[in-house]
Amino acid sequence: MTSPAARKNKKKASSTFFERATEALATLKETQSEVIQEAAELCAERIANGGLVFLFGNGHSRMMCEEMTPRQGCFPGFVALVELALSNHAAIVGANGLRAPLYLENYEGYAEQILKGFHFGPNDAFIVISTSGIRPVVVEAAMGAQRRGLPVIGIVSRAHCEQAKAAHSSGKKLIDCADLVIDNQCPPGDCVIELEGLEWRTGPISTVTGAVIINMIRCGTAEALEREVVVGFRFRSLPRVGALERFPLNTHPGWADSPLAETR
């Protein structure tokens, strides 16, 4: 049995992961704050003019869409465009396994069929999240949004995207189809921990940096909307003691007065 002293001196992978994730966040703040603020200002301008900001991500990236909305502290204007066929996998193999979504994300033309299900307005915008930034469904979602006149914000790992071979027949990647690119600071492959005896890395950090980016955009957007005194965008946060009793969901303050409460 290892002694307490030996355990104390031994480098632990859990602590190393924390350190690497913290380092990535520090670099994110230093290098990406300006473009994140620019993205927030863009979102605020679009929402203030009655537009919607759509968030698209497949597989694990759908978590970043849901981190924006519906989420505690959210407000009208953001829409999580999450296609369940690409992201609702409950198993590795068998029914609802990974094979079908992995096939669909590489099927050219599929993203356009998703976009055809929406009537986009002139003041809308699009956020596409993908750490690799190379899958055809992601590239085509960004290209399709741009063809419709929507500005596109891409959240991607530049290191991974630039090194990886394009999977779309056009040779394009997400970094080629976004008006603003936010680097999530993930290394190629996402993972930051190497363990002796383990053939692959572990400890992906895209969830950590991605969630911070999403919330920086959210907070920056809220600040800009408040600065412009946009009526109907002030919301109390429901997940707190007594909130649901005081403000039932169908009478939540602000929804009735918001231009986004009506079906477009």
Side-chain angles (χ1 to χ4, degrees):
M1 177 179 279
T2 308
S3 68
R7 288 198 301 270
K8 183 177 180 180
N9 293 329
K10 188 177 180 179
K11 188 74 170 179
K12 291 204 169 26
S14 57
S15 296
T16 302
F17 175 80
F18 184 88
E19 292 167 3
R20 301 262 172 89
T22 303
E23 290 169 1
L25 289 176
T27 305
L28 175 70
K29 179 183 178 184
E30 180 181 350
T31 64
Q32 303 300 302
S33 290
E34 185 175 335
V35 68
I36 290 173
Q37 181 61 31
E38 190 175 351
E41 297 283 350
L42 171 62
C43 292
E45 183 268 331
R46 294 284 160 157
I47 294 171
N49 285 287
L52 298 173
V53 179
F54 293 84
L55 295 97
F56 179 83
N58 63 285
H60 177 266
S61 294
R62 67 87 56 88
M63 292 178 64
M64 299 304 106
C65 303
E66 295 176 347
E67 180 64 24
M68 182 67 85
T69 187
R71 190 73 165 88
Q72 184 172 2
C74 69
F75 45 88
F78 291 103
V79 179
L81 199 168
V82 175
E83 184 75 6
L84 293 182
L86 290 167
S87 54
N88 188 28
H89 36 77
I92 304 299
V93 296
N96 298 312
L98 283 172
R99 289 187 181 274
L102 290 176
Y103 177 82
L104 286 175
E105 70 179 17
N106 287 295
Y107 189 86
E108 295 192 16
Y110 186 61
E112 181 60 26
Q113 298 307 310
I114 297 172
L115 295 178
K116 284 181 178 179
F118 295 83
H119 176 68
F120 296 101
N123 292 310
D124 292 342
F126 222 80
I127 299 176
V128 180
I129 305 107
S130 172
T131 294
S132 70
I134 63 170
R135 304 301 179 197
V137 72
V138 169
V139 173
E140 290 188 347
M143 293 170 64
Q146 287 186 327
R147 278 198 308 273
R148 290 164 170 81
L150 279 61
V152 174
I153 300 165
I155 301 176
V156 63
S157 164
R158 274 195 178 275
H160 188 121
C161 193
E162 290 175 352
Q163 291 184 28
K165 181 181 178 181
H168 193 265
S169 59
S170 67
K172 291 186 176 182
K173 307 174 184 180
L174 179 55
I175 56 176
D176 303 315
C177 309
D179 300 286
L180 293 176
V181 175
I182 300 173
D183 185 355
N184 68 9
Q185 302 301 307
C186 294
D190 199 354
C191 297
V192 296
I193 298 298
E194 292 183 359
L195 296 175
E196 186 178 350
L198 190 64
E199 295 180 7
W200 56 88
R201 287 186 175 188
T202 188
I205 61 172
S206 60
T207 310
V208 178
T209 60
V212 169
I213 291 169
I214 289 295
N215 280 284
M216 288 176 74
I217 293 174
R218 181 220 309 279
C219 293
T221 302
E223 181 181 48
L225 289 172
E226 285 292 318
R227 188 167 62 241
E228 296 298 325
V229 196
V230 178
V231 178
F233 289 94
R234 297 183 181 184
F235 284 85
R236 294 173 177 85
S237 189
L238 285 179
R240 63 177 188 176
V241 176
L244 287 176
E245 291 77 9
R246 293 174 58 205
F247 305 114
L249 288 175
N250 61 344
T251 60
H252 193 226
W255 282 105
D257 298 328
S258 171
L260 302 176
E262 301 178 2
T263 302
R264 301 197 315 168

